Amino acid sequence: MAYWLAKARNGQRSDFIQRFDPRFWTVKFPRPMMAAITTIAPDALRVDCVFYRKKDLVGIIWDSVDRLDHPLTAYETRRDYRGLSLSFRWRSGGIIALDGLNGPTLTIEGRDEAGQPRTWYVRLWNYATGSPTDAQIDLRFSEMDGGFLLPFQADRVFAGDIDRMFVSMVAPAYDQAGGNLSAQVEGWAEMTGIRADGAGAMLPIGDVLVPPHGISMCTAFDDCGTQTPARLLRNVRALGYRGEIVHYLGMSHYFRLKAVAADKFEVDGAAAGLNVAARAWHGDFFARAKAMGFAPIASLSYELLAMHCPQAWAQRDLSGTAGLTGWDPPSNLLSPANDAAMAYLRKIAGEAVGLMKAAGTDVRFQIGEPWWWTYADGRICLYDDAAKTAFGGKPVAIPSLRDPLSASQKALLDQAGAKLAASTAALSEAVRKAAAPAVADVRLLAFTPTLLDPGTPEARRANLPTGWAYPAFDRLQVEDYDWLTDGKDGLRRKGYEIVGERLGYPIARQDYLSGFVLLPEDAETYWPLIDAALDEAETRGVGNRFVWASPQVMRDGFVRLPNHQDEVDMRPFDDVSYPLALGRGSTVVPEFSTSITVTASGHEHRNTLWSDARLKFDVGPGVRGEAELGTLIAFFRARRGAARGFRLRDPNDFSSQAMTGIPTPFDQLLGIGDGAKTAFLLIKHYGEDGDAQRRRITRPVAGSVKVSVDGTERRNFTLDPRGVILFDEAPPPGADVRAGFLFEVPVRFAEDRLEISSVAFAAGEAPSVPLIELREDA
């Protein structure tokens, strides 16, 4: 499949939006508070927020630089606001009003006329008409002053070089010195009738619409919740993603908190699950997804941000250390044995299902990566108080899964697997009950690089329990990006095999999640692998394929291009051999393409356009007798002339050993092992080692391939039909990987007609039957 990493628009379709379009505002706030922004009309937005501390502050941001959208859908950067005006109606509640000392303030960040960084603070009440909680605001950027009291404290804004601006909001008990609020405060604000006028009131914006390509998208509230659902979904649809969207509710922003100490808060298990901001955002997200034809899948994991996780809920290793992920800040893994933690997850799931039902979407739910956390050194977190009670009070110690395990240790892992399966079954049942009378589609996501780490072979007892076997869930979703980006294809294939044997989900009931690219500097390396893995999953018959996740797609400019059926039909190939032997009169012509430029002095500049020769054949002289002529005509018609390819043995070059010798396992160097790579392309070299021409062999003869690693013949491999050696285990670092083989050439008839004169053929004149070699993907 073709893909593209776009850096900027270059001739793609553009349109215009009004500057300050409500879809493109964002919010920013400090933990532990929460805020979310939604669009409530084409010219209106709403921000819902929850304050926990006196110093909490939320900003409603307009950025002059589009930092969130895909390069092909982003709005144009315009920092000059001179001659521009912005007007809107402001309404609010639960926050300091417009006329208050710390009331809503427009902070403008940019540079002054001398180019020096400056910040201006514009009190909105100075430009308001109406009441402190319901007023019309009119801002003329070229005539606007910062300062609290005007005109006495006027600080004229220079509007010619603005980076961003934001409206700040704080709770009524705001105090910059800090301290907890006596109780959480829920606030809100609406900007309606948003209107831009004057110079630069309209902004160019990318308006591409990539045709659907059969891939679905993943999103996450933790990553995308600061933007509007309208903006997020606009990008997803514009880039050709359709159908299902896996949406991770997250682990750090959806919950309600309670104070447990000064400036310390944890999840409030006794309160309603979703906070008011998360509820507003997700209600809007599900409704808009439904309206745009998407089918959202709400995803919930056994994970909570560690700073807010009740520590009694956290899994712990043998020494009592809590299970912590490597994220910054880290998250805790919830114990499947802790009744309060599992009840909390069921409550969150039920509320998410309620929002989906209210939006009119079918209920699809993913239980995301539930497991007993295992550290890299093999420590497994089975020893929190609830788990120890569930496992008999004094469960056997497992210092490391990387050590040989006794029968009693394995039995404990089996117990842990049963407890994990029971917890997911209870969560699944809660989802189905909340969805009733409608039928819910419940899926489980498994991350195979952790669950099937070859260094911890018994971990699957605890983390890939047989209690998950089909039909425990409607679909199984598999993710293996660590192995994918590390080039561990052998482990990936083995993982699919183990999962298939252990859980038994038909391939059509499996989904594949491909990704992700954590760091932008890895984009050029990882996106080709991700794109290829999506295609590979399709060839395996996987039902649905997803890209994880939208922030990385937007950041790196990933564009997946559609594979239309007419494009598929351009290169059909029949894996059959030409049925006749080539006679003495047959010709073979290897051909290169070289660009030659002759300078005024007579010197030449030569540029080789092809890295490999292309062969042309004329097999007509090999036709002997009317019976073979009939065979040729039938074969030509079956190939529809030049439409379909086939195999041909070149009588002068069909072996890895010299040209026509008997293959040995040591003939051709395919590559050097690195301890991870398991796939090696069949290659034949022509010429001296330092300047050898490499020929990719895509049509080896089945049964002829012999392979060696560091001089020892190996049989622990399979052969992909397109000439790829796939080892069960990666060759060690520095090992020579060699192979010997017989091969044929992929060709097609050069023309759509076959001209044969019966009189000439009877008189001994050979017909001309030209063939031409096909270039096949490496």
Coordinates of all heavy atoms in Angstrom, one line a residue, residues 352-430:
A352 N -20.0 5.2 30.5 CA -19.6 5.4 29.1 C -20.7 4.8 28.2 O -21.0 5.4 27.2 CB -18.3 4.8 28.9
V353 N -21.2 3.6 28.5 CA -22.2 3.0 27.7 C -23.5 3.9 27.7 O -24.1 4.1 26.7 CB -22.5 1.6 28.3 CG1 -23.8 1.1 27.6 CG2 -21.4 0.7 28.0
G354 N -23.8 4.5 28.9 CA -25.0 5.4 28.9 C -24.8 6.6 28.0 O -25.8 7.0 27.3
L355 N -23.6 7.1 27.9 CA -23.4 8.2 26.9 C -23.5 7.8 25.5 O -24.0 8.5 24.6 CB -22.0 8.8 27.2 CG -21.8 9.6 28.5 CD1 -20.4 10.0 28.7 CD2 -22.7 10.8 28.5
M356 N -23.0 6.6 25.2 CA -23.1 6.0 23.8 C -24.6 5.8 23.5 O -25.0 6.1 22.4 CB -22.4 4.7 23.7 CG -20.9 4.9 24.0 SD -20.0 3.3 23.8 CE -19.7 3.2 22.1
K357 N -25.4 5.3 24.4 CA -26.8 5.0 24.1 C -27.5 6.4 23.9 O -28.4 6.5 23.0 CB -27.4 4.3 25.3 CG -27.0 2.8 25.4 CD -27.5 2.1 26.6 CE -29.0 2.0 26.5 NZ -29.6 1.2 27.7
A358 N -27.2 7.4 24.7 CA -27.8 8.7 24.6 C -27.5 9.3 23.2 O -28.3 10.1 22.7 CB -27.3 9.6 25.7
A359 N -26.3 9.0 22.7 CA -25.9 9.5 21.4 C -26.5 8.7 20.2 O -26.3 9.1 19.1 CB -24.4 9.6 21.3
G360 N -27.1 7.6 20.6 CA -27.7 6.8 19.5 C -26.7 5.9 18.8 O -27.1 5.3 17.7
T361 N -25.5 5.6 19.4 CA -24.6 4.7 18.7 C -24.8 3.3 19.3 O -25.2 3.1 20.4 CB -23.1 5.2 19.0 OG1 -22.8 4.9 20.4 CG2 -22.9 6.6 18.7
D362 N -24.4 2.3 18.4 CA -24.4 1.0 18.9 C -23.3 0.9 20.0 O -22.3 1.6 20.0 CB -24.0 0.0 17.8 CG -25.2 -0.1 16.8 OD1 -26.3 0.2 17.1 OD2 -24.9 -0.5 15.6
V363 N -23.5 0.0 21.0 CA -22.5 -0.1 22.1 C -21.4 -1.1 21.7 O -21.6 -2.3 21.5 CB -23.2 -0.6 23.4 CG1 -22.1 -0.8 24.4 CG2 -24.2 0.4 23.8
R364 N -20.2 -0.5 21.5 CA -19.0 -1.3 21.3 C -18.0 -0.9 22.4 O -17.8 0.3 22.6 CB -18.4 -1.0 19.9 CG -19.3 -1.4 18.7 CD -18.6 -1.0 17.4 NE -19.3 -1.6 16.2 CZ -20.3 -1.1 15.6 NH1 -20.9 0.0 16.1 NH2 -20.9 -1.7 14.6
F365 N -17.4 -1.9 23.0 CA -16.6 -1.6 24.1 C -15.3 -2.5 24.1 O -15.4 -3.7 23.7 CB -17.4 -1.9 25.4 CG -16.7 -1.4 26.7 CD1 -17.0 -0.1 27.1 CD2 -15.8 -2.2 27.4 CE1 -16.4 0.4 28.2 CE2 -15.2 -1.7 28.6 CZ -15.5 -0.4 29.0
Q366 N -14.2 -1.9 24.4 CA -12.9 -2.6 24.4 C -12.4 -2.6 25.8 O -12.3 -1.6 26.5 CB -11.9 -1.9 23.5 CG -10.5 -2.6 23.5 CD -9.4 -1.6 23.1 OE1 -9.0 -0.8 23.9 NE2 -8.9 -1.7 21.9
I367 N -12.0 -3.8 26.3 CA -11.3 -4.0 27.6 C -9.8 -4.0 27.2 O -9.3 -4.9 26.5 CB -11.7 -5.2 28.3 CG1 -13.2 -5.2 28.6 CG2 -10.9 -5.4 29.6 CD1 -13.7 -6.5 29.2
G368 N -9.1 -2.9 27.5 CA -7.8 -2.6 26.9 C -6.7 -3.1 27.8 O -6.4 -2.6 28.9
E369 N -5.9 -4.1 27.3 CA -4.7 -4.6 27.9 C -4.8 -4.8 29.4 O -4.0 -4.3 30.2 CB -3.6 -3.6 27.6 CG -3.3 -3.4 26.1 CD -2.2 -2.4 25.8 OE1 -1.8 -1.7 26.8 OE2 -1.7 -2.4 24.7
P370 N -5.7 -5.7 29.8 CA -5.7 -6.1 31.3 C -4.7 -7.1 31.6 O -4.5 -8.1 30.8 CB -7.1 -6.7 31.4 CG -7.4 -7.2 30.1 CD -6.8 -6.4 29.1
W371 N -3.9 -6.9 32.6 CA -2.8 -7.8 32.9 C -2.3 -7.6 34.3 O -2.6 -6.6 35.0 CB -1.7 -7.7 31.9 CG -1.1 -6.3 31.7 CD1 -1.0 -5.3 32.6 CD2 -0.5 -5.8 30.5 NE1 -0.4 -4.2 32.0 CE2 -0.1 -4.5 30.7 CE3 -0.2 -6.4 29.2 CZ2 0.6 -3.7 29.8 CZ3 0.4 -5.6 28.3 CH2 0.8 -4.3 28.5
W372 N -1.6 -8.6 34.8 CA -0.8 -8.5 36.0 C 0.6 -7.9 35.6 O 1.3 -8.5 34.8 CB -0.6 -9.8 36.7 CG -1.8 -10.5 37.2 CD1 -2.6 -11.5 36.5 CD2 -2.5 -10.2 38.4 NE1 -3.7 -11.8 37.3 CE2 -3.6 -11.1 38.5 CE3 -2.2 -9.4 39.5 CZ2 -4.5 -11.1 39.5 CZ3 -3.1 -9.4 40.5 CH2 -4.2 -10.2 40.6
W373 N 0.9 -6.7 36.1 CA 2.0 -6.0 35.6 C 3.3 -6.8 35.9 O 3.5 -7.3 36.9 CB 2.1 -4.6 36.2 CG 3.2 -3.8 35.7 CD1 4.4 -3.4 36.3 CD2 3.3 -3.2 34.4 NE1 5.1 -2.6 35.5 CE2 4.5 -2.4 34.3 CE3 2.4 -3.2 33.3 CZ2 4.8 -1.7 33.1 CZ3 2.7 -2.5 32.2 CH2 3.9 -1.8 32.1
T374 N 4.2 -6.8 34.9 CA 5.5 -7.6 35.0 C 6.6 -6.6 34.6 O 6.6 -6.0 33.5 CB 5.5 -8.8 34.1 OG1 4.4 -9.6 34.4 CG2 6.8 -9.6 34.3
Y375 N 7.5 -6.4 35.5 CA 8.7 -5.6 35.2 C 9.6 -6.3 34.3 O 9.6 -7.5 34.1 CB 9.4 -5.2 36.5 CG 8.7 -4.1 37.3 CD1 7.9 -4.4 38.4 CD2 8.8 -2.8 36.9 CE1 7.2 -3.4 39.0 CE2 8.2 -1.7 37.6 CZ 7.4 -2.0 38.7 OH 6.7 -1.0 39.3
A376 N 10.5 -5.5 33.7 CA 11.5 -6.0 32.7 C 12.3 -7.1 33.3 O 12.8 -8.0 32.5 CB 12.3 -4.9 32.1
D377 N 12.6 -7.1 34.6 CA 13.5 -8.1 35.2 C 12.7 -9.3 35.6 O 13.3 -10.2 36.2 CB 14.2 -7.5 36.4 CG 13.3 -7.0 37.5 OD1 12.1 -7.2 37.4 OD2 13.8 -6.4 38.4
G378 N 11.4 -9.4 35.3 CA 10.6 -10.6 35.5 C 9.8 -10.5 36.8 O 9.0 -11.5 37.1
R379 N 9.8 -9.4 37.6 CA 9.0 -9.3 38.8 C 7.5 -9.2 38.3 O 7.2 -8.3 37.6 CB 9.4 -8.1 39.6 CG 10.7 -8.3 40.4 CD 11.1 -7.0 41.1 NE 11.4 -6.0 40.1 CZ 11.0 -4.7 40.2 NH1 10.3 -4.3 41.3 NH2 11.4 -3.8 39.3
I380 N 6.7 -10.0 38.9 CA 5.3 -9.9 38.5 C 4.5 -9.5 39.8 O 4.8 -9.8 40.9 CB 4.7 -11.3 38.0 CG1 3.3 -11.1 37.6 CG2 4.8 -12.4 39.1 CD1 2.7 -12.3 36.8
C381 N 3.5 -8.6 39.5 CA 2.8 -7.9 40.6 C 1.6 -8.7 41.0 O 0.4 -8.3 40.7 CB 2.5 -6.5 40.2 SG 4.0 -5.5 39.9
L382 N 1.8 -9.8 41.8 CA 0.7 -10.6 42.3 C 0.5 -10.5 43.8 O -0.2 -11.3 44.3 CB 1.0 -12.1 41.9 CG 1.1 -12.5 40.5 CD1 1.5 -14.0 40.4 CD2 -0.2 -12.2 39.7
Y383 N 1.1 -9.5 44.4 CA 1.2 -9.6 45.9 C 0.6 -8.4 46.6 O 1.0 -8.0 47.7 CB 2.6 -9.8 46.3 CG 3.2 -11.0 45.7 CD1 3.9 -11.0 44.5 CD2 3.0 -12.3 46.3 CE1 4.4 -12.2 43.9 CE2 3.5 -13.4 45.8 CZ 4.2 -13.4 44.6 OH 4.7 -14.6 44.0
D384 N -0.4 -7.7 46.0 CA -1.1 -6.7 46.8 C -2.0 -7.4 47.8 O -2.2 -8.7 47.7 CB -2.0 -5.8 45.8 CG -2.9 -6.6 45.0 OD1 -2.5 -7.1 43.9 OD2 -4.1 -6.8 45.4
D385 N -2.5 -6.7 48.8 CA -3.2 -7.4 49.9 C -4.4 -8.2 49.3 O -4.7 -9.3 49.8 CB -3.7 -6.4 50.9 CG -2.5 -5.8 51.7 OD1 -1.4 -6.4 51.7 OD2 -2.7 -4.8 52.4
A386 N -5.2 -7.6 48.4 CA -6.4 -8.3 47.9 C -6.0 -9.5 47.1 O -6.6 -10.6 47.2 CB -7.2 -7.3 47.0
A387 N -4.9 -9.5 46.4 CA -4.4 -10.6 45.6 C -3.9 -11.7 46.6 O -4.2 -12.9 46.3 CB -3.3 -10.2 44.6
K388 N -3.2 -11.3 47.6 CA -2.7 -12.4 48.5 C -3.9 -13.1 49.2 O -3.8 -14.3 49.4 CB -1.8 -11.7 49.5 CG -0.4 -11.3 48.9 CD 0.6 -10.9 50.0 CE 0.3 -9.6 50.7 NZ 1.4 -9.2 51.6
T389 N -4.9 -12.3 49.5 CA -6.1 -13.0 50.1 C -6.7 -13.9 49.2 O -7.1 -15.0 49.5 CB -7.1 -11.9 50.6 OG1 -6.4 -11.1 51.6 CG2 -8.3 -12.5 51.2
A390 N -6.9 -13.5 47.9 CA -7.5 -14.3 46.9 C -6.7 -15.6 46.6 O -7.3 -16.6 46.3 CB -7.7 -13.5 45.6
F391 N -5.4 -15.5 46.8 CA -4.5 -16.6 46.5 C -4.1 -17.4 47.7 O -3.1 -18.1 47.8 CB -3.3 -16.2 45.8 CG -3.6 -15.4 44.5 CD1 -2.8 -14.4 44.1 CD2 -4.6 -15.8 43.7 CE1 -3.0 -13.7 42.9 CE2 -4.9 -15.1 42.5 CZ -4.1 -14.0 42.1
G392 N -5.0 -17.4 48.8 CA -4.8 -18.2 49.9 C -4.1 -17.6 51.1 O -3.8 -18.3 52.1
G393 N -3.8 -16.3 51.1 CA -3.2 -15.6 52.2 C -1.7 -15.5 52.1 O -1.1 -14.5 52.4
K394 N -1.0 -16.6 51.8 CA 0.4 -16.6 51.7 C 0.9 -17.3 50.4 O 1.4 -18.4 50.4 CB 1.1 -17.3 52.9 CG 0.9 -16.6 54.2 CD 1.6 -17.3 55.3 CE 1.5 -16.5 56.6 NZ 2.2 -17.2 57.8
P395 N 0.6 -16.6 49.3 CA 1.0 -17.3 48.0 C 2.4 -17.5 47.8 O 3.3 -16.7 48.4 CB 0.4 -16.3 46.9 CG 0.4 -15.0 47.6 CD 0.0 -15.3 49.1
V396 N 2.8 -18.5 47.1 CA 4.2 -18.9 46.9 C 4.9 -17.7 46.2 O 4.3 -16.9 45.4 CB 4.4 -20.1 46.0 CG1 3.7 -19.9 44.6 CG2 5.8 -20.6 45.9
A397 N 6.2 -17.5 46.6 CA 6.9 -16.3 46.0 C 7.4 -16.7 44.6 O 7.9 -17.8 44.3 CB 8.1 -16.1 46.9
I398 N 7.3 -15.7 43.7 CA 7.9 -15.7 42.4 C 8.8 -14.5 42.3 O 8.3 -13.4 41.9 CB 6.8 -15.8 41.3 CG1 5.8 -16.9 41.5 CG2 7.4 -15.9 39.9 CD1 4.7 -17.0 40.5
P399 N 10.1 -14.7 42.6 CA 11.0 -13.5 42.5 C 11.1 -13.0 41.1 O 11.2 -11.8 40.9 CB 12.3 -14.0 43.0 CG 11.9 -15.2 43.8 CD 10.7 -15.8 43.2
S400 N 11.1 -13.9 40.1 CA 11.2 -13.4 38.7 C 10.7 -14.5 37.8 O 11.0 -15.7 37.9 CB 12.7 -13.2 38.3 OG 12.8 -12.9 36.9
L401 N 9.9 -14.1 36.8 CA 9.4 -15.0 35.8 C 10.5 -15.5 34.8 O 10.3 -16.4 34.0 CB 8.3 -14.4 35.0 CG 7.0 -14.1 35.8 CD1 6.0 -13.4 34.8 CD2 6.4 -15.4 36.2
R402 N 11.6 -14.8 34.9 CA 12.8 -15.2 34.1 C 13.6 -16.4 34.6 O 14.5 -16.9 34.0 CB 13.7 -14.0 33.8 CG 13.0 -12.9 33.1 CD 13.9 -11.8 32.6 NE 13.1 -10.8 31.9 CZ 12.7 -10.8 30.6 NH1 13.1 -11.9 29.9 NH2 12.0 -9.9 30.0
D403 N 13.2 -16.8 35.8 CA 13.9 -18.0 36.4 C 13.0 -19.2 36.2 O 11.8 -19.1 35.9 CB 14.0 -17.8 38.0 CG 14.8 -16.6 38.3 OD1 15.7 -16.2 37.5 OD2 14.6 -16.0 39.4
P404 N 13.6 -20.4 36.2 CA 12.8 -21.6 36.1 C 11.8 -21.7 37.3 O 12.1 -21.3 38.4 CB 13.9 -22.8 36.3 CG 15.2 -22.1 35.9 CD 15.1 -20.7 36.3
L405 N 10.6 -22.1 37.0 CA 9.5 -22.1 37.9 C 9.1 -23.5 38.4 O 9.1 -24.4 37.6 CB 8.3 -21.4 37.3 CG 8.5 -19.9 36.9 CD1 7.2 -19.3 36.4 CD2 9.1 -19.1 38.0
S406 N 8.8 -23.6 39.6 CA 8.3 -24.9 40.2 C 6.8 -25.1 39.8 O 6.1 -24.2 39.3 CB 8.5 -24.9 41.7 OG 7.6 -23.9 42.3
A407 N 6.3 -26.3 40.2 CA 4.9 -26.6 39.9 C 4.0 -25.7 40.7 O 3.0 -25.2 40.2 CB 4.7 -28.0 40.2
S408 N 4.4 -25.4 42.0 CA 3.5 -24.5 42.8 C 3.5 -23.1 42.3 O 2.5 -22.4 42.3 CB 4.0 -24.5 44.2 OG 5.3 -24.1 44.4
Q409 N 4.7 -22.6 41.7 CA 4.7 -21.3 41.1 C 3.8 -21.2 39.9 O 3.1 -20.2 39.7 CB 6.2 -20.9 40.8 CG 7.0 -20.6 42.1 CD 8.5 -20.4 41.8 OE1 9.0 -21.1 40.9 NE2 9.1 -19.5 42.5
K410 N 3.9 -22.2 39.1 CA 3.0 -22.2 37.9 C 1.6 -22.3 38.3 O 0.7 -21.7 37.6 CB 3.4 -23.4 37.0 CG 4.8 -23.4 36.4 CD 5.1 -24.6 35.6 CE 6.5 -24.6 35.1 NZ 6.9 -25.8 34.3
A411 N 1.3 -23.0 39.3 CA -0.1 -23.1 39.8 C -0.6 -21.7 40.2 O -1.8 -21.4 40.0 CB -0.2 -24.1 40.9
L412 N 0.3 -20.9 40.9 CA -0.1 -19.6 41.3 C -0.4 -18.7 40.1 O -1.4 -18.0 40.0 CB 1.0 -18.9 42.1 CG 0.8 -17.4 42.5 CD1 -0.5 -17.3 43.3 CD2 2.0 -16.9 43.3
L413 N 0.4 -18.9 39.0 CA 0.1 -18.1 37.8 C -1.2 -18.5 37.2 O -1.9 -17.7 36.7 CB 1.3 -18.3 36.8 CG 2.7 -17.8 37.2 CD1 3.7 -18.1 36.2 CD2 2.6 -16.3 37.4
D414 N -1.5 -19.8 37.3 CA -2.8 -20.2 36.7 C -4.0 -19.6 37.5 O -5.0 -19.2 37.0 CB -2.9 -21.8 36.8 CG -2.0 -22.4 35.8 OD1 -1.7 -21.8 34.7 OD2 -1.6 -23.6 36.0
Q415 N -3.8 -19.5 38.9 CA -4.8 -18.9 39.7 C -4.9 -17.4 39.3 O -6.0 -16.9 39.3 CB -4.4 -19.0 41.2 CG -4.6 -20.3 41.9 CD -4.3 -20.2 43.4 OE1 -3.1 -20.3 43.8 NE2 -5.3 -19.9 44.2
A416 N -3.8 -16.8 39.1 CA -3.8 -15.3 38.7 C -4.6 -15.2 37.4 O -5.3 -14.2 37.2 CB -2.4 -14.8 38.7
G417 N -4.3 -16.1 36.5 CA -5.0 -16.0 35.2 C -6.5 -16.2 35.3 O -7.3 -15.5 34.7
A418 N -6.9 -17.1 36.2 CA -8.3 -17.3 36.4 C -9.0 -16.0 37.0 O -10.1 -15.6 36.7 CB -8.5 -18.5 37.3
K419 N -8.2 -15.4 38.0 CA -8.8 -14.2 38.6 C -8.9 -13.1 37.6 O -9.8 -12.3 37.6 CB -7.9 -13.8 39.8 CG -8.2 -12.5 40.5 CD -9.6 -12.5 41.0 CE -9.8 -13.4 42.2 NZ -11.1 -13.3 42.9
L420 N -7.9 -12.9 36.7 CA -7.9 -11.9 35.7 C -9.1 -12.1 34.7 O -9.8 -11.2 34.4 CB -6.6 -11.9 34.9 CG -6.5 -10.9 33.8 CD1 -6.6 -9.5 34.2 CD2 -5.2 -11.1 33.0
A421 N -9.3 -13.4 34.3 CA -10.4 -13.7 33.4 C -11.7 -13.4 34.1 O -12.7 -12.9 33.4 CB -10.3 -15.2 33.0
A422 N -11.8 -13.7 35.4 CA -13.1 -13.5 36.1 C -13.4 -12.0 36.1 O -14.5 -11.5 36.0 CB -13.0 -14.1 37.5
S423 N -12.3 -11.2 36.3 CA -12.5 -9.7 36.4 C -13.0 -9.2 35.1 O -13.8 -8.3 35.0 CB -11.3 -9.0 36.9 OG -10.3 -9.0 35.9
T424 N -12.4 -9.6 34.0 CA -12.8 -9.1 32.6 C -14.2 -9.6 32.3 O -15.0 -8.9 31.6 CB -11.8 -9.6 31.6 OG1 -11.6 -11.0 31.6 CG2 -10.4 -8.9 31.8
A425 N -14.5 -10.9 32.7 CA -15.9 -11.4 32.5 C -16.9 -10.5 33.2 O -18.0 -10.2 32.7 CB -16.0 -12.8 32.9
A426 N -16.6 -10.1 34.4 CA -17.5 -9.2 35.2 C -17.6 -7.9 34.5 O -18.7 -7.3 34.5 CB -17.0 -9.1 36.6
L427 N -16.5 -7.3 34.0 CA -16.6 -6.0 33.3 C -17.4 -6.2 32.1 O -18.2 -5.3 31.7 CB -15.2 -5.5 33.0 CG -15.0 -4.2 32.3 CD1 -15.8 -3.1 33.1 CD2 -13.6 -3.8 32.2
S428 N -17.2 -7.2 31.3 CA -18.0 -7.5 30.1 C -19.4 -7.6 30.4 O -20.3 -7.0 29.7 CB -17.5 -8.8 29.5 OG -18.2 -9.1 28.3
E429 N -19.8 -8.3 31.5 CA -21.2 -8.4 31.9 C -21.8 -7.1 32.3 O -23.0 -6.8 31.9 CB -21.3 -9.4 33.0 CG -22.7 -9.7 33.5 CD -23.7 -10.2 32.4 OE1 -23.2 -10.9 31.5 OE2 -24.9 -9.9 32.5
A430 N -21.0 -6.2 32.9 CA -21.5 -4.9 33.3 C -21.8 -4.1 32.1 O -22.8 -3.3 32.0 CB -20.5 -4.2 34.2

